Amino acid sequence: MADKGGIQLLPENRKRIDVKIPGENRLIYTGAILIVLVLVLAGGLWIYSGSLTNQIKADDDQITALEKQRDAKAEQNLITLAKQLSITSQILKNHTYWSVGLSKIESALQSNVQFKSFSATLGENSLHIRATSDNYTTIAKQLAAFVADDAIKDISLDGVNALTSGKLDFNIRVGFDPAKFLTNQ
């Protein structure tokens, strides 16, 4: 078309002028890289999600297999036994050992003292003793022997009466600490 009717309007060789603007394709390249990264990340997450799903299924299968091996009746019996042992140990822990307290009374008893009556009240933490003795010295020694025990809190001599046989009749109230007097150390 350069030659129309013998007249050439444009020269035969054309020069192409390219104008290069720095950074004109940078946005396209950055977008393409971001799309590739997002696709790779999405693919990695999809593969990771699949592996987690498979692991959950395997764990569920393992739990189901263990559940089938359980013996529910034996487990219930073990739970019952554990509760019974707990109650029994609590009972033994709080058990009152009167034999311990009586052995302390026995060891503190003077040889010339004879019991006529003996009663104990756990609610009041006290012992009531009616006894006879040869003389006032023995009664004093008996009171001192009771006071020497740290499990005894207080002692009261309620009365001393002379008997026709020459012996002395007396009443003692012994207050004790149950934590020290009635527990097996």
Side-chain angles (χ1 to χ4, degrees):
M1 233 200 243
D3 186 21
K4 197 175 195 184
I7 300 177
Q8 187 176 5
L9 299 172
L10 293 174
E12 254 331 289
N13 57 359
R14 296 188 212 165
K15 240 182 175 184
R16 184 169 179 196
I17 302 173
D18 288 332
V19 178
K20 289 195 176 189
I21 303 171
E24 69 180 24
N25 294 332
R26 190 177 295 163
L27 218 54
I28 294 173
Y29 294 141
T30 305
I33 290 172
L34 284 177
I35 288 174
V36 169
L37 282 176
V38 167
L39 290 176
V40 168
L41 185 63
L45 289 175
W46 182 69
I47 291 171
Y48 183 66
S49 171
S51 71
L52 286 179
T53 303
N54 291 338
Q55 186 177 2
I56 288 171
K57 184 176 179 347
D59 289 345
D60 283 344
D61 292 341
Q62 187 179 12
I63 289 171
T64 304
L66 286 173
E67 188 71 30
K68 288 179 182 176
Q69 293 175 355
R70 285 181 49 203
D71 185 6
K73 185 171 182 159
E75 287 178 6
Q76 189 61 37
N77 289 339
L78 287 174
I79 290 170
T80 303
L81 178 65
K83 288 178 182 177
Q84 289 172 345
L85 286 175
S86 170
I87 291 169
T88 304
S89 67
Q90 188 67 22
I91 288 171
L92 290 175
K93 180 181 163 191
N94 295 333
H95 178 67
T96 302
Y97 291 95
W98 280 105
S99 57
V100 174
L102 292 175
S103 68
K104 288 181 181 187
I105 295 293
E106 179 187 9
S107 65
L109 192 61
Q110 297 295 310
S111 60
N112 292 337
V113 174
Q114 295 177 345
F115 283 0
K116 283 185 159 183
S117 68
F118 177 86
S119 65
T121 308
L122 185 59
E124 296 176 4
N125 297 329
S126 65
L127 303 170
H128 299 282
I129 302 169
R130 183 171 177 210
T132 60
S133 174
D134 292 344
N135 54 37
Y136 287 104
T137 307
T138 304
I139 295 173
K141 286 181 182 179
Q142 183 63 62
L143 293 175
F146 284 151
V147 170
D149 191 351
D150 65 337
I152 306 293
K153 289 196 295 189
D154 65 329
I155 295 178
S156 65
L157 180 62
D158 291 337
V160 179
N161 298 321
L163 299 175
T164 55
S165 63
K167 293 196 174 202
L168 299 172
D169 183 43
F170 63 96
N171 294 319
I172 298 176
R173 186 191 156 289
V174 179
F176 58 86
D177 181 7
K180 294 178 183 177
F181 192 71
L182 298 176
T183 55
N184 195 4
Q185 301 291 336

